[in-house]
Amino acid sequence: MAGAFVATIGLGVGLGVWASTSGDGDGGNASAAGSGERGRAATGTASHSAAPAPTRTYPLSQAPRTIPAVRSHTPARGPGWKPAAGKRVVVGDARLADEGRLIAGELGLAYAGQASDERAGDLRLTLNAGQGAGPESYTMTVRGGRVTISGPSDAGVFYGTRTLKQEVHGGGTAPEGVVRDQPAKPKRGFMVDIARKYYTAGWIEDRVRELGDLKYNELGLHFSDDQGFRIASDTHPEIVSRQHLTKAQVKKIVQLAAARHITVVPEIDSPGHLGAVIAAHPDLQLRNAQGTATRGAIDISKDASAEIVDDLLDEYAGLFPGADWNLGGDEYQALVVSDPEASYPQLAAAARSAYGSGGTVADLTTGWLNDRAATVRAHHRTPRAWNDGFFRGTSVQPDKDIRVGYWTGKEIGARPPGEYLSAGCKVINYNDKYLYYVLGQPNDFFYPTGRLIYEQWTPRVLRGSTAVPARYDAQILGGSFAVWGDYPNAQTQDQVAAGIRMPLRATAQKLWDARPPTLTWTQFRALAGRLG
């Protein structure tokens, strides 16, 4: 430890001050020596002429460098805190046992459970219901050689442990002072298309751990599409692809995610993108007036189509206990032709039967979305759907509680985000200009590096690069970075993991705090490299 001894005389008392030039507060040996000398003076063992024992002052601490960055840090003078063998993690509430055991294992500490005594070096986790700024907020106090992390919920306390873990990464020190932190947005997600490209359970589990450390709270699994159906099914085993996840594997993923306060949001897309289901049930394939099959589209005029999709929604509700469910609803090919009623007379007839002489194919499709929403709502799930599943000018309106996943403004009859927001919809941002990682880079997509997300994107930038008015901010629940498998062999799963590493970190930063970041992109990337 670099330092200088400075002697001052005041009121007849000599004061020794060690002025540290170390920003991390290391140097506990000198401090311990000072304490020992003071102890001997108190018992009269030191000579009368001995110099007074040295004490230490420290520079004001610096805010921790973490991803995402903390919202507020009140600096203080002190040595900070480092984990060490023999130090304890204690909890003030049994509900924090999982968080306590996890951080204890990660930092090599002893988990002591509930304990009221205080020891040097303790890390204490506590609940303070009703005192936090929000349900995912936390306060972390580093003082006197101890750390206390408190929050109104176990989720907030968990996020505090993620901050601490990053602070002490690689032998660093948690700086003295108080962190007060909370996310800007309640939905902070990552979605992966496991239908078109198979990913191993281990790969997904690794992403869960990564997401947890970055304070994400959603993992979306798009597991049904034209190219594959990737989770085992008891009700319809005939539709499952050869490469798939077992239910036991999915349960393990869901449990791992829950331990990190991540909800798994499943998606069985319909009435389009159902090619894997249709392959086993060709009688449900949508065909036009000439009898030509429409790729990936199920015939929603047939009762059996609704029955098989509802069977699957009911079956997987037990596998995915989280609150939200993505119903898809995008790119139904019956609606991309110039005259859907003429091209698909069976759909037009079903629409008129259901909704009267003015019923349209778009009405029928909206009714399909509402019916599937009712199916998941019966399991106490909140439905969401892609924005191009909401159609302009229909007599049948989408149910008000269906959240809009806004990803594109390129579809036929594209509606700007303001139309959804002004109608009172709650929206989740999947902006395909910034937040899409599309394998093979088709249709002018490119692999994002994260820089544009970090420097340009905010949750209010729903379409293109223009932000919606600030008055809509509360309706934008958050956002999600998404990996799509259009050309599944374009990258291996390990290449995908490497490619999304910085975009995930940039997205995490902007969902936690949408304000302009204090670090430059170069500094942010270097920080990510140091944190691993």
Side-chain angles (χ1 to χ4, degrees), residues 128-472:
N128 58 356
Q131 298 178 28
E136 294 182 298
S137 66
Y138 69 91
T139 299
M140 181 169 66
T141 303
V142 180
R143 181 182 297 136
R146 300 183 183 92
V147 182
T148 300
I149 299 173
S150 63
S153 72
D154 52 353
V157 172
F158 171 74
Y159 298 137
T161 67
R162 301 305 89 191
T163 295
L164 182 65
K165 180 184 175 183
Q166 288 193 31
E167 286 179 324
V168 301
H169 173 80
T173 300
E176 203 86 2
V178 181
V179 168
R180 292 180 177 86
D181 203 12
Q182 65 175 333
K185 291 298 179 182
K187 299 288 185 183
R188 305 179 303 281
F190 168 60
M191 194 228 76
V192 58
D193 171 8
I194 66 171
R196 283 178 276 195
K197 181 177 180 65
Y198 172 75
Y199 294 85
T200 64
W203 187 92
I204 299 171
E205 289 171 5
D206 286 344
R207 301 290 74 72
V208 169
R209 296 183 185 95
E210 182 178 16
L211 296 175
D213 282 351
L214 295 170
K215 303 185 176 83
Y216 281 87
N217 63 3
E218 280 194 357
L219 169 65
L221 294 181
H222 174 94
F223 66 92
S224 169
D225 212 303
D226 297 341
Q227 295 83 354
F229 192 100
R230 300 292 183 182
I231 298 178
S233 172
D234 298 320
T235 61
H236 291 282
E238 72 281 359
I239 69 175
V240 178
S241 301
R242 181 184 62 82
Q243 284 188 307
H244 65 272
L245 300 174
T246 67
K247 286 190 173 180
Q249 288 174 319
V250 175
K251 287 178 181 177
K252 185 180 177 184
I253 290 167
V254 169
Q255 289 168 355
L256 179 67
R260 284 155 173 77
H261 299 276
I262 295 169
T263 298
V264 181
V265 179
E267 180 187 0
I268 298 175
D269 203 347
S270 77
H273 294 283
L274 277 172
V277 173
I278 293 167
H281 295 271
D283 54 310
L284 301 181
Q285 176 92 54
L286 178 65
R287 296 180 180 275
N288 66 13
Q290 289 73 44
T292 303
T294 303
R295 175 178 167 80
I298 204 165
D299 189 337
I300 61 176
S301 70
K302 296 181 176 180
D303 292 340
S305 295
E307 290 169 3
I308 193 170
V309 173
D310 283 347
D311 283 348
L312 296 169
L313 296 175
D314 288 335
E315 176 181 357
Y316 292 106
L319 190 61
F320 297 101
D324 287 22
W325 194 294
N326 193 337
L327 298 169
D330 62 310
E331 298 180 325
Y332 188 48
Q333 296 301 299
L335 290 167
V336 303
V337 297
S338 58
D339 189 344
E341 285 69 35
S343 295
Y344 298 96
Q346 76 276 35
L347 299 184
R352 291 191 297 270
S353 175
Y355 304 114
S357 60
T360 66
V361 175
D363 287 325
L364 190 69
T365 308
T366 302
W368 169 278
L369 179 65
N370 288 342
D371 288 344
R372 307 292 77 74
T375 299
V376 300
R377 199 180 293 117
H379 295 284
H380 308 289
R381 306 295 191 269
T382 300
R384 76 177 64 164
W386 302 111
N387 64 283
D388 52 329
F390 296 77
F391 307 107
R392 179 188 280 125
T394 56
S395 61
V396 179
Q397 295 298 305
D399 291 342
K400 294 296 185 182
D401 68 331
I402 303 177
R403 293 168 173 173
V404 178
Y406 198 100
W407 71 280
T408 184
K410 302 171 185 174
E411 77 281 9
I412 294 174
R415 300 168 65 189
E419 286 197 24
Y420 302 91
L421 293 165
S422 62
C425 294
K426 293 182 178 178
V427 177
I428 299 165
N429 191 328
Y430 292 82
N431 187 327
D432 64 349
K433 177 180 173 65
Y434 294 96
L435 305 180
Y436 265 32
Y437 192 99
V438 184
L439 298 189
Q441 305 182 102
N443 303 320
D444 298 324
F445 285 111
F446 62 91
Y447 295 133
T449 65
R451 181 167 189 164
L452 294 181
I453 300 169
Y454 188 77
E455 295 180 341
Q456 298 180 10
W457 180 81
T458 74
R460 283 173 42 212
V461 179
L462 287 162
R463 174 178 171 178
S465 56
T466 302
V468 299
R471 67 179 179 273
Y472 293 128

Side-chain angles (χ1 to χ4, degrees), residues 22-85:
S22 172
D24 66 4
D26 198 7
N29 291 337
S31 180
S35 298
E37 291 181 20
R38 287 193 297 274
R40 287 194 298 274
T43 60
T45 58
S47 68
H48 184 72
S49 60
T55 60
R56 294 193 59 178
T57 64
Y58 297 84
L60 279 175
S61 59
Q62 300 293 313
R65 290 293 178 92
T66 60
I67 298 175
V70 300
R71 302 287 294 267
S72 169
H73 175 255
T74 302
R77 299 183 188 276
W81 181 90
K82 281 186 176 183

